Amino acid sequence: MGNTKTIYQSDREFRIWNYTVSHCSLLLRSEMSFIGEDNFSEELSYNIDIEISGVSFIGIPTTLRSLKIKEISEDLLPDHIDKELCKYDLKIFEFEEESKRY
């Protein structure tokens, strides 16, 4: 039986900031807010960047309102995800936003 392991969690909003095809690199960013903006707080006074290398498949929306990233085992992959993505011992991540999973 497979398992999942939460590796990151945040209530901040993240967006796909960049995907570089030549390096198979995905960058997600939660943007900082600035003093004087309506939503400014100390918790939002800095960017959070998450970079994932070796990306073979992206199945997430461009904006995630909150974020939980889990590493999942191959036997927990949904049927519509090609098992070939698991070759070479690459890791598979599940992105969770509220009750939605990608």
Side-chain angles (χ1 to χ4, degrees), residues 18-56:
N18 188 35
Y19 176 69
T20 305
V21 175
S22 61
H23 291 92
C24 300
S25 177
L26 173 66
L27 176 64
L28 303 175
R29 174 170 285 172
S30 177
E31 289 185 82
M32 65 185 284
S33 62
F34 295 94
I35 296 174
E37 290 183 344
D38 291 339
N39 65 338
F40 178 79
S41 72
E42 281 297 315
E43 292 180 11
L44 297 174
S45 65
Y46 53 90
N47 288 335
I48 298 175
D49 289 347
I50 298 172
E51 185 172 9
I52 303 170
S53 300
V55 176
S56 300

